[in-house]
Amino acid sequence: MRTCLFVTAALLLACDPGPGNGPGDGPRDAAADHELAIVPAHDEEHEDEPEDPLYWSSEPFDPLTAIDCAEHKDTGYVKGDPFEITVVTVDGKPVEVQTANAYYQMAQAAAADGVNIKVVSGFRTMDEQTYLYNCYINCNCNNCNLAAKPGYSNHQSGHALDLNTSATGVNAWIKAHGGDYGFSATVNGEPWHWEWWGDGPPASGPCGVAQFKATYVAQSFPVSADPAVELKMGETLDAWIDLKNTGKAKWTANTKLAPTPRDMASPLFDVGWLSPTRITGPDADTPAGEVGRFSFRLAANAAPGEYFQTFGLVEEGVTWFSQAPKGGGPPDDQLEVRIMVVEADPPPPPATTGAESGSSGGVEPGSTGAGEVDTGLAETGGASGAGTGSGGEGESTPTGEAGSGDMSGGTSSGGGWQGGAALPSGYGSDEGCGCRSPDGGPGRGGGAAPGLLVLCWLLRRRRRAA
C-alpha cells in the first residue's frame, strides 16, 4: 500500500484537489453542461490506472448481452451542481443511458474488427466518490489513489467511462475510431478515460427513448436517388413529409422542419416558409406514437442547376432531433429532395395589331368588311364606262385610268375609278356632303382619295333615301 507523507500545509493542499483541480472537473454549471452537451474542462492531474481485471481483458463478447437496459434515476453532478440522470448497466457498471447507447454503437463496430471493448468504471454516486476521496486524503484505502472531491469528478456526470485500454488492440482502435462515435480522451495521462457528451451520430442503442425523435414514414416527392424533379424558374412544388413521433415529447408548432446545413438559407426558399432557415411546423400537434405531416412548398427561384436539399427537425430553443442526449434522430442529412431548376420558356411574341405583312391594310375592292356598309358598286370594270380617253372606250390604262380622264383625284368623263368599278351618276358633285372640288367643278377631286369620294356618295344616298 502506498503512503502519503504530508510535510507541510502546502504539500497537504497539493494532495487535495479542490473544486476545479480534481480529475474531470468541470468549469460550468451542471445542468447547463449536461443538457447542452458541453464537455467540462480537465487539468493535468489524473487518477491511477484501474486495477479491475476487466482492464486487461480481451475476452470476446456480444455488446448487446453486456447491456442491461433496466433504468433507474439517480443524481449526477458537474462542478458540484446536482441534476437528475437516467442510469442503465453496461458490463455490470452504471452508465448514463444515452452514453450507454453511444458506447453500444462503438463496441459493436470494434467487435466487428475483432477488438473487444469493455467498461471498467462508469457512473459514480456521491457515496462512492466520497469513499474514494477519503481513501485518497487519509491514505488508508484504495491504495491511496488520487480522487476528485465529491461532486467534481466527471464520473459523477455519468458521461465518463474508464475502458480496458490495456487489452489487446483496444487502445489503438479507440484512438483511431472513438471520435467517430462521439467519444474523446479528456484527461491527459489517462488513456483509459473516455467521455461522451453528445457528439457523433445519434445514440440509437437499445436503451431508453429520446425526448425528441422521428422515424421516416413517407414523402410526396421522389427520393434523391431517383431522377431530379424538374422545375422551371419561377415554378413551385407542393410537397409533404410524413414522420412518426418515436420520442417522448409531443410535437407542436415549436417543432419545425428546417433546411440543412443548420441555420443556412435554402436556395429553394418559398415565401410561405416561416423564414429562409425554418420551413414549417407539423400540420397538427402530434403526440408520441402518432404520424405527423409537414406540408410545405419549394420554389425554383434560384439560378438554373441541380439542387440537393436536405432537411432536419428542430425543437426550437431546445435541441435538434439529431443531437443527443435529448435528440434521437433522424440525422440532418437523411431527409432529402433533388430539384433540377431549368430556364423558363421564352415569352410569346407580341400579338399583331395591323394587317398582315405585305397587305395595304384596307378592304379589297368589292369586299365588305365587318361593320362596313356595302357600297353597292358593281365590279363592272372599264368596259361599261363611257370614257373617251386614249385607252379606248371601256378600257383602262395600266395605271387604272379610264380613257383619257384624270383619275388622280376624282372621276374622268367616262366615270371609271381605279380598280375598274363604274362611278355612280352625279359622283363628285357637292350635294351637301362637302365633296366638291376646290375649283367648284364636278368630277375634279383636287387630290381627294377615292375612298373619301365613295363615302360622300354613300352619305348622299342615305339622304335621298331619307
Side-chain angles (χ1 to χ4, degrees):
M1 177 179 294
R2 302 178 188 177
T3 60
C4 266
L5 179 62
F6 304 124
V7 179
T8 64
L11 181 58
L12 178 62
L13 290 174
C15 290
D16 180 8
N21 294 320
D25 293 345
R28 300 168 58 94
D29 83 55
D33 282 346
H34 179 71
E35 299 298 337
L36 298 177
I38 297 173
V39 183
H42 299 73
D43 59 24
E44 297 300 323
E45 292 189 277
H46 56 82
E47 296 181 352
D48 293 298
E49 192 172 29
E51 297 177 352
D52 191 309
L54 276 179
Y55 181 59
W56 290 273
S57 174
S58 301
E59 183 181 350
F61 75 109
D62 179 356
L64 185 58
T65 62
I67 296 181
D68 179 0
C69 289
E71 298 180 0
H72 72 272
K73 299 295 182 180
D74 215 315
T75 302
Y77 291 84
V78 170
K79 199 185 175 184
D81 294 324
F83 57 91
E84 184 181 82
I85 61 172
T86 300
V87 177
V88 296
T89 304
V90 181
D91 293 321
K93 309 299 189 296
V95 178
E96 187 273 329
V97 61
Q98 293 302 330
T99 304
N101 284 333
Y103 166 82
Y104 168 77
Q105 291 178 290
M106 181 175 68
Q108 269 192 319
D113 291 341
V115 176
N116 298 290
I117 302 177
K118 294 181 174 64
V119 175
V120 178
S121 179
F123 169 70
R124 296 176 191 165
T125 65
M126 178 62 84
D127 287 344
E128 289 171 329
Q129 190 64 30
T130 299
Y131 168 78
L132 294 174
Y133 181 70
N134 286 334
C135 287
Y136 165 65
I137 291 299
N138 299 318
C139 208
N140 58 1
C141 52
N142 194 37
N143 288 333
C144 198
N145 288 340
L146 181 71
K149 186 176 180 179
Y152 291 85
S153 170
N154 259 25
H155 280 278
Q156 289 187 261
S157 71
H159 292 274
L161 304 177
D162 288 345
L163 304 176
N164 61 328
T165 52
S166 284
T168 303
V170 171
N171 192 42
W173 191 96
I174 198 170
K175 281 183 176 179
H177 305 289
D180 297 340
Y181 300 91
F183 283 87
S184 57
T186 57
V187 180
N188 292 331
E190 292 189 20
W192 57 84
H193 185 101
W194 290 79
E195 298 183 18
W196 181 85
W197 288 90
D199 293 331
S204 57
C207 298
V209 176
Q211 193 78 2
F212 300 97
K213 185 177 181 180
T215 303
Y216 173 81
V217 176
Q219 62 192 42
S220 63
F221 44 86
V223 296
S224 59
D226 290 343
V229 177
E230 185 174 295
L231 293 178
K232 296 176 182 177
M233 291 185 67
E235 289 184 337
T236 58
L237 173 68
D238 289 328
W240 51 260
I241 297 175
D242 284 349
L243 300 170
K244 185 175 182 179
N245 184 349
T246 50
K248 295 179 180 178
K250 178 191 289 188
W251 296 348
T252 66
N254 197 54
T255 309
K256 298 183 177 71
L257 184 72
T260 53
R262 300 177 185 179
D263 299 316
M264 288 183 61
S266 169
L268 303 177
F269 165 73
D270 180 75
V271 293
W273 291 15
L274 300 173
S275 75
T277 61
R278 297 290 187 271
I279 301 175
T280 186
D283 292 1
D285 288 356
T286 308
E290 299 296 323
V291 174
R293 172 163 292 186
F294 295 79
S295 301
F296 56 100
R297 177 173 291 173
L298 300 169
N301 294 324
E306 191 170 32
Y307 295 88
F308 290 83
Q309 180 62 66
T310 53
F311 307 97
L313 288 172
V314 57
E315 187 68 16
E316 206 68 75
V318 181
T319 186
W320 285 80
F321 278 42
S322 60
Q323 182 175 333
K326 286 192 172 182
D332 285 351
D333 58 356
Q334 178 177 313
L335 307 173
E336 187 174 44
V337 65
R338 182 180 180 184
I339 299 292
M340 177 68 74
V341 178
V342 299
E343 294 279 3
D345 293 334
T352 56
T353 56
E356 295 181 1
S357 175
S359 68
S360 62
V363 180
E364 295 181 1
S367 66
T368 303
E372 295 178 355
V373 180
D374 188 354
T375 63
L377 297 178
E379 296 187 0
T380 57
S384 62
T388 58
S390 60
E393 183 177 349
E395 293 183 12
S396 62
T397 66
T399 60
E401 295 176 354
S404 60
D406 181 6
M407 290 298 295
S408 62
T411 63
S412 69
S413 59
W417 73 298
Q418 189 170 356
L423 295 174
S425 61
Y427 189 89
S429 60
D430 186 4
E431 296 292 333
C433 71
C435 299
R436 186 175 299 276
S437 60
D439 61 359
R444 306 189 68 85
L452 181 60
L453 298 177
V454 173
L455 178 60
C456 291
W457 178 78
L458 288 173
L459 292 174
R460 191 180 70 175
R461 286 188 60 184
R462 287 189 175 181
R463 288 175 180 170
R464 287 179 177 174

